[in-house]
Amino acid sequence: MSTDDDVTATQRSGTGSVARREGLGAEPTAEPTETVGFIGLGNMGGPMAARLVRAGYRVQGFDLAEPARQAFAGTGGTVAPELTGAVRGASVIVLMLPNSDIVEATVRDAGFAVEHGATVIDMSSSEPMRTRALAAELAQRGVTLVDAPVSGGVSRARTGELTVMTGGEPADLDRVAPILTQLGTATRVGAVGSGHAVKALNNLLSATHLLVTCEAILAGERFGLDPETMLSIFNGSSGRSGSTENKWPNFILPGTYDSGFGLRLMLKDVRIATALADQVGAPDPLGHATAELWARAAEALEATADHTEIVNWLRKDASR
């Protein structure tokens, strides 16, 4: 299942006012009075669903992968052997899936027989325009869709400290706020689809930051500069970013490349962001250049490569 990047910033609503932020990630306090269907129990979804179990929700979890289902069984949640069992009797259904194709296939599956009046929370990294279209489709079935993609990675999924970007009508977001409270800190950014939009744009920034940071440090190395010294200068200067403060010192310099966010997932989000810019007629020449370079790295590196491994592609193959 999809994971995500950990760079975030205060967002604003579509009206220009400061978006509403809800302090989340509290210790479990909920009474076990609501049934939640949770579809997608992978690297991110598994720990998120487990937090809802500990918070007292009756969670019915489903994933196509048997190891993911087995891991969830150890949390005390109910493992559904099929999609139907995950949504049966659930007033809220959480989707934590890789992309819009899989989200749409899931909600259109005959087994996705959700109750009239239920709310679906799409926490996947989906495409904003497709999210809006799907919300309209579900509304015809008497089902509400809100989007709430996350940032923060697996470690923050475990601790309930994710950044959650939500899109939807205020009343609908009020309805699911207690659930999101167990997962992190939510910012309301606008109408349905807005969460997916800002998530993709965030990762476009993150991908661009990392790419140019790698270029700068590799140039400095060839000149004879020490990477750690460069990072200390950048982090006290205007070149500071999540890449200089976190990715380089924690995953690239040690050579672990284990941030938990795949390179191809980053490329997917970058392409969502550039597609959105094209759809709304915004200028994005740098975004497209970023997407092209990340695509070249994805072709050259292993399918399972962490996104921080783009530095190895730059070292070996970027000039070919």
Side-chain angles (χ1 to χ4, degrees):
M1 297 297 107
S2 173
T3 58
D4 57 34
D5 191 39
D6 56 4
V7 182
T8 187
T10 299
Q11 306 298 338
R12 293 183 177 270
S13 70
T15 61
S17 60
V18 175
R20 174 174 168 181
R21 297 180 67 85
E22 297 161 320
L24 309 178
E27 286 302 309
T29 57
E31 294 297 327
T33 58
E34 187 165 27
T35 299
V36 176
F38 204 109
I39 302 168
L41 302 171
N43 291 337
M44 292 290 291
M48 291 164 65
R51 282 196 61 82
L52 295 182
V53 172
R54 291 197 299 274
Y57 289 96
R58 294 190 293 263
V59 182
Q60 300 169 168
F62 174 71
D63 196 288
L64 290 174
E66 176 62 25
R69 295 197 300 272
Q70 290 178 351
F72 180 65
T75 68
T78 300
V79 178
E82 72 290 312
L83 182 61
T84 303
V87 303
R88 184 183 296 118
S91 56
V92 176
I93 299 92
V94 177
L95 306 178
M96 191 65 183
L97 300 168
N99 54 50
S100 285
D101 287 344
I102 297 175
V103 167
E104 291 172 1
T106 299
V107 302
R108 292 169 181 162
D109 190 284
F112 196 76
V114 299
E115 296 182 350
H116 189 280
T119 301
V120 175
I121 311 174
D122 184 8
M123 305 191 78
S124 318
S125 292
S126 300
E127 299 171 40
M129 295 299 191
R130 292 173 71 174
T131 297
R132 288 188 171 178
L134 188 61
E137 179 182 322
L138 284 173
Q140 295 178 351
R141 296 164 53 180
V143 176
T144 299
L145 174 69
V146 299
D147 57 309
V150 300
S151 181
V154 176
S155 62
R156 292 186 182 180
R158 294 188 180 116
T159 61
E161 297 176 300
L162 293 168
T163 294
V164 187
M165 297 149 271
T166 62
E169 293 299 318
D172 298 330
L173 296 175
D174 287 343
R175 165 78 180 82
V176 300
I179 289 173
L180 299 180
T181 296
Q182 302 303 325
L183 304 177
T185 300
T187 302
R188 300 186 180 190
V189 294
V192 66
S194 298
H196 285 148
V198 76
K199 164 68 184 295
L201 294 170
N202 173 77
N203 278 7
L204 171 61
L205 289 173
S206 179
T208 308
H209 294 165
L210 179 57
L211 187 60
V212 75
T213 298
C214 290
E215 290 182 355
I217 292 179
L218 294 181
E221 280 186 322
R222 293 193 180 189
F223 184 76
L225 300 176
D226 174 67
E228 292 189 27
T229 301
M230 284 189 280
L231 287 171
S232 69
I233 297 297
F234 298 156
N235 287 332
S237 305
S238 58
R240 181 175 66 251
S241 71
S243 295
T244 62
E245 292 182 325
N246 178 37
K247 297 176 186 182
W248 260 86
N250 293 325
F251 308 116
I252 295 178
L253 281 182
T256 56
Y257 308 109
D258 57 354
S259 75
F261 186 52
L263 188 145
R264 282 159 179 77
L265 290 175
M266 179 67 89
L267 173 60
K268 179 198 70 173
D269 286 352
V270 167
R271 284 173 166 166
I272 290 174
T274 56
L276 176 63
D278 292 341
Q279 288 163 347
V280 300
D284 59 345
L286 181 56
H288 279 285
T290 296
E292 179 183 351
L293 291 168
W294 279 85
R296 287 172 57 189
E299 290 177 1
L301 297 173
E302 296 291 330
T304 57
D306 190 85
H307 80 288
T308 55
E309 292 183 64
I310 195 169
V311 68
N312 293 329
W313 171 72
L314 283 169
R315 283 176 174 140
K316 298 177 182 177
D317 299 319
S319 60
R320 294 182 183 177

